[in-house]
Amino acid sequence: MALIVQKFGGTSVATTERIKNVAKRVARWKAQGHDIIVVPSAMSGETNRLIGLAKEISASPNPRELDVIASTGEQVTIALLAMAMQELGLKAKSYTGPQVRVLTDSTFTKARILQIDDARIRKDLASGHVVVVAGFQGADGHGNITTLGRGGSDTSAVALAAALKADECQIYTDVDGVYTTDPRVVPEARKLDTITFEEMLEMASLGSKVLQIRSVEFAGKYKVKLRVLSSFEDEGEGTLITVEEDNNMEQPIISGIAFNRDEAKVTILGVPDRPGVAYQILGPIADANCDVDMIIQNVAHDGTTDFSFTVNRSDYSKTMELLNGIATKLNARGVVGDNKTCKVSAVGVGMRSHPGVASKMFKELGAEGINIQMISTSEIKISVVIEEKYLELAVRVLHKAFGLDKPA
Ligand code: ASP
Ligand code: MG
């Protein structure tokens, strides 16, 4: 007998029919003698609808009130799920985040979980209940309702699994696991049986949308056994996110190709090459909450240099505006920008022990006539910024070049 946390995403609970199916699925696990905690998202589209309502009232809604409304989506699904299980003869009880108490900080709309009180849940599990806990939400020290950021119910599930020392945290979603790349771009993409936390973290932050990044960080930190599975297929082991690289197996050098369309590149030309300038450029950008990703500063000529970085495309116009002001202040030569760029990355822990991955990647892109505008690397990933129109081509070429289309 095990303690299992099962998280169901929005598409898995999108209709009452699907909610009944989830209940049946949970019932089968329960029948095997396991203790189950279920963490649903809101019905798909519901959180968007709720935030949309708020935006009809106010262009920038008060964050505290926004959390009060956004958290209601999950309150609906926990009750419906508990009822559906009761209809099947199971004992089930639902709780909102604040009821449990999932204690968070007070950063409305992207709060962090500080602590989870497991007393009520343990008591209910001991008396044979399936416990249904609303994802995405908690309460701060003053009892204010908070939410954990979009996609946050993944993090709720992992945090509950960590707090209760669950044997496994299963994330049921509309894909049956983590793939070598997005199958919509490369039909030959394969499901991975395992992927390490580090790789998953890179994949998530590089644009793979399977799991909320924070949930992966959390699982890595607390060593939660995390598995991604399909909520529509009964068969299959999904993808297990593992703590250690499995040394017994021949490790693939590259595990996946990730991409992100939402990159925009900006350059401030001819800034003075002296201490403090990078801060003078990026300080105001950070203060405006624009997320900076890759940064490149060129070699200086005549005491000046070009300074380029990428931001999320939605922050592009704000960044350009700020940068124009900064350029004037720094007496720079000008500002140029391009919001038709994207980022393609190769990820794999095997890179550590295999040199030559970067050169292979650059060779393949060069052979296709794809110009690389920026490069950044870490121990286990290589990312390039390229023109957006080459995104699909680049992903396909790299997926093939690194042998990801063939079974390992
Ligand atoms: N319902 C929330 C959202 O749409 C949380 C989640 O689904 O994970 O972002
Ligand atoms: Mg989600």
Side-chain angles (χ1 to χ4, degrees):
M1 196 192 81
L3 171 58
I4 302 171
V5 176
Q6 302 186 320
K7 184 258 173 178
F8 290 88
T11 45
S12 322
V13 293
T15 60
T16 48
E17 261 334 289
R18 287 192 186 170
I19 287 177
K20 289 181 195 169
N21 282 333
V22 168
K24 281 187 205 146
R25 224 184 161 129
V26 173
R28 284 200 294 275
W29 283 89
K30 187 73 187 138
Q32 290 170 27
H34 301 302
D35 281 339
I36 312 284
I37 300 168
V38 179
V39 181
S41 293
M43 290 173 154
S44 67
E46 180 63 6
T47 309
N48 286 341
R49 188 184 73 85
L50 294 167
I51 293 172
L53 286 176
K55 295 230 158 120
E56 281 176 30
I57 301 281
S58 161
S60 52
N62 176 282
R64 181 188 181 278
E65 305 312 325
L66 197 55
D67 278 358
V68 173
I69 184 168
S71 62
T72 61
E74 275 76 6
Q75 190 165 342
V76 172
T77 49
I78 53 167
L80 293 174
L81 258 172
M83 290 174 199
M85 287 183 226
Q86 288 159 3
E87 286 295 312
L88 298 175
L90 291 180
K91 290 205 265 181
K93 225 185 222 180
S94 73
Y95 293 104
T96 65
Q99 280 179 312
V100 163
R101 159 156 202 261
V102 176
L103 180 70
T104 71
D105 65 17
S106 304
T107 321
F108 296 112
T109 77
K110 38 178 181 286
R112 284 184 175 268
I113 296 177
L114 302 174
Q115 203 183 316
I116 293 179
D117 182 354
D118 63 353
R120 284 180 111 160
I121 298 179
R122 285 212 188 274
K123 198 157 160 259
D124 288 334
L125 289 174
S127 59
H129 288 81
V130 173
V131 183
V132 188
V133 179
F136 181 52
Q137 55 182 264
D140 72 4
H142 307 287
N144 296 303
I145 295 172
T146 54
T147 67
L148 309 179
R150 299 308 305 270
S153 46
D154 293 343
T155 301
S156 303
V158 173
L160 279 161
L164 282 119
K165 304 201 171 45
D167 297 285
E168 189 164 308
C169 181
Q170 302 175 341
I171 308 279
Y172 288 90
T173 177
D174 45 8
V175 291
D176 61 351
V178 180
Y179 275 70
T180 50
T181 194
D182 187 339
R184 282 167 300 190
V185 173
V186 183
E188 295 80 22
R190 283 181 309 107
K191 182 180 80 66
L192 296 162
D193 293 334
T194 62
I195 184 169
T196 68
F197 278 108
E198 280 179 289
E199 289 171 325
M200 193 62 224
L201 208 51
E202 289 283 10
M203 297 283 272
S205 55
L206 293 168
S208 154
K209 302 217 162 50
V210 181
L211 288 173
Q212 198 202 30
I213 298 175
R214 210 184 276 174
S215 72
V216 185
E217 283 169 1
F218 218 105
K221 188 162 161 200
Y222 294 98
K223 308 258 187 292
V224 174
K225 191 170 168 199
L226 187 60
R227 192 185 290 278
V228 176
L229 298 141
S230 163
S231 50
F232 302 116
E233 288 165 29
D234 285 332
E235 311 273 291
E237 301 277 290
T239 300
L240 181 68
I241 328 275
T242 57
V243 179
E244 292 284 307
E245 297 161 42
D246 191 342
N247 290 325
N248 300 328
M249 279 184 347
E250 180 64 24
Q251 194 67 41
I253 300 176
I254 300 296
S255 294
I257 308 293
F259 56 84
N260 183 2
R261 288 179 202 278
D262 300 330
E263 296 264 325
K265 179 184 151 189
V266 294
T267 302
I268 175 160
L269 301 162
V271 291
D273 183 30
R274 61 167 199 276
V277 165
Y279 172 67
Q280 280 175 287
I281 297 170
L282 294 178
I285 307 289
D287 290 343
N289 266 324
C290 300
D291 247 328
V292 172
D293 183 14
M294 280 193 216
I295 303 168
I296 287 186
Q297 183 186 307
N298 292 342
V299 180
H301 297 287
D302 317 324
T304 73
T305 179
D306 296 346
F307 190 97
S308 301
F309 56 94
T310 60
V311 290
N312 195 290
R313 203 171 285 175
S314 58
D315 291 331
Y316 177 68
S317 27
K318 192 159 62 164
T319 304
M320 283 297 276
E321 218 172 276
L322 286 167
L323 218 48
N324 277 311
I326 297 165
T328 313
K329 247 196 230 152
L330 287 175
N331 212 358
R333 214 161 3 92
V335 174
V336 289
D338 182 357
N339 66 353
K340 297 249 172 342
T341 54
C342 68
K343 182 168 71 171
V344 176
S345 313
V347 176
V349 289
M351 232 181 252
R352 283 197 186 113
S353 48
H354 290 81
V357 173
S359 73
K360 183 177 169 86
M361 181 165 173
F362 303 157
K363 181 177 141 210
E364 297 292 337
L365 295 175
E368 296 295 333
I370 301 171
N371 188 37
I372 300 169
Q373 305 185 14
M374 294 170 110
I375 300 166
S376 93
T377 64
S378 79
E379 263 203 313
I380 64 161
K381 73 124 201 273
I382 299 162
S383 299
V384 296
V385 170
I386 59 174
E387 251 185 284
E388 193 197 357
K389 67 176 184 198
Y390 291 127
L391 183 133
E392 277 86 3
L393 177 63
V395 172
R396 265 191 316 238
V397 163
L398 295 175
H399 192 268
K400 187 147 191 267
F402 286 110
L404 293 174
D405 49 345
K406 292 187 216 83

